Amino acid sequence: MVEPWLRGTLTEEDAVLRGVLHALELAREDVARWCSEFTEEQLEARPFGLPSVGFQMRHIARSLDRLLTYAEGGRLSDGQLEALKNEMKPSGSREAIFDEFEDGIDSATRRIKAVPPGSYDKARWVGRGELPSSVGGLLVHCADHAQRHVGQLVTTAKVVVQLRGAGDDSRRRRRADERGSANPLGVEDGRSEGAKP
């Protein structure tokens, strides 16, 4: 499957917003690909002490909310700080975990699209220490932070599947991924498009 940034979508957005939005699309697709069949127990499993898949999903959604609050010039609310403290705690049913993740990506997408053009260099302050950043810096961090945690989620999901099994479909998906990761862009014979033989 071609990744979102190579699909020619979101061309109405500038390159920065498009890149951030594509990163969030990829995060959503990777979570669906690796975890859509997981039970609540598998979502909250912590093999070898790794943070659970459920934690990663909560953390991605809640971090996007916090980062975008800073990008919008706001301060974190008591509710956001309380949610941060509770990210490691199981958050209820399988549906609740997926709903929070999906709602978080949807909300982040709307908020990112609302960022005014030309505002990337505006100063922003992060955390209690009011560390310096900018609107653009926070947007880029939304993308790289989400992708970092999706990578951790996929690794944990692979361990959960390996240790507990998730049925033939998950094993087929894992084998297909291994084949695809050896050649992620579908380049044949080790040459890129347009390369001379």
Side-chain angles (χ1 to χ4, degrees):
M1 174 171 46
V2 175
E3 291 184 354
W5 65 280
L6 293 170
R7 294 179 192 158
T9 59
L10 300 172
T11 55
E12 69 278 8
E13 305 295 347
D14 69 51
V16 173
L17 294 185
R18 185 171 45 241
V20 175
L21 294 168
H22 281 151
L24 297 186
E25 280 184 37
L26 184 59
R28 184 191 309 261
E29 291 173 10
D30 283 342
V31 167
R33 178 177 186 193
W34 286 100
C35 306
S36 63
E37 298 173 18
F38 273 26
T39 64
E40 183 180 334
E41 179 186 2
Q42 290 171 315
L43 289 170
E44 297 296 356
R46 296 197 58 199
F48 306 108
L50 293 169
S52 71
V53 167
F55 159 77
Q56 301 292 358
M57 292 170 71
R58 287 186 290 276
H59 183 66
I60 292 165
R62 295 174 190 181
S63 292
L64 287 168
D65 179 46
R66 293 189 294 269
L67 291 167
L68 290 168
T69 295
Y70 291 130
E72 294 161 348
R75 291 186 166 285
L76 298 187
S77 69
D78 290 341
Q80 287 171 309
L81 293 170
E82 188 64 27
L84 172 61
K85 290 179 193 173
N86 294 315
E87 286 179 353
M88 288 297 283
K89 295 180 183 175
S91 59
S93 69
R94 177 188 183 288
E95 289 74 25
I97 296 166
F98 277 95
D99 286 349
E100 180 177 2
F101 177 77
E102 290 292 330
D103 290 347
I105 297 289
D106 288 343
S107 174
T109 298
R110 284 190 300 275
R111 291 166 76 182
I112 291 164
K113 286 182 174 185
V115 171
S119 66
Y120 300 146
D121 289 328
K122 284 189 177 179
R124 293 293 184 256
W125 310 102
V126 178
R128 290 184 196 136
E130 296 190 348
L131 301 172
S133 188
S134 64
V135 171
L138 284 155
L139 289 172
V140 169
H141 191 59
C142 284
D144 64 40
H145 187 263
Q147 284 300 306
R148 179 183 314 137
H149 284 278
V150 167
Q152 293 175 21
L153 176 150
V154 170
T155 298
T156 301
K158 288 179 177 184
V159 173
V160 169
V161 167
Q162 191 66 31
L163 292 177
R164 299 184 183 207
D168 291 337
D169 289 340
S170 291
R171 282 189 280 281
R172 276 194 296 275
R173 184 174 58 239
R174 190 172 63 250
R175 284 193 301 272
D177 179 64
E178 289 165 357
R179 285 191 303 272
S181 66
N183 190 3
L185 297 178
V187 177
E188 300 203 17
D189 300 322
R191 294 187 302 262
S192 62
E193 287 184 41
K196 294 181 180 178

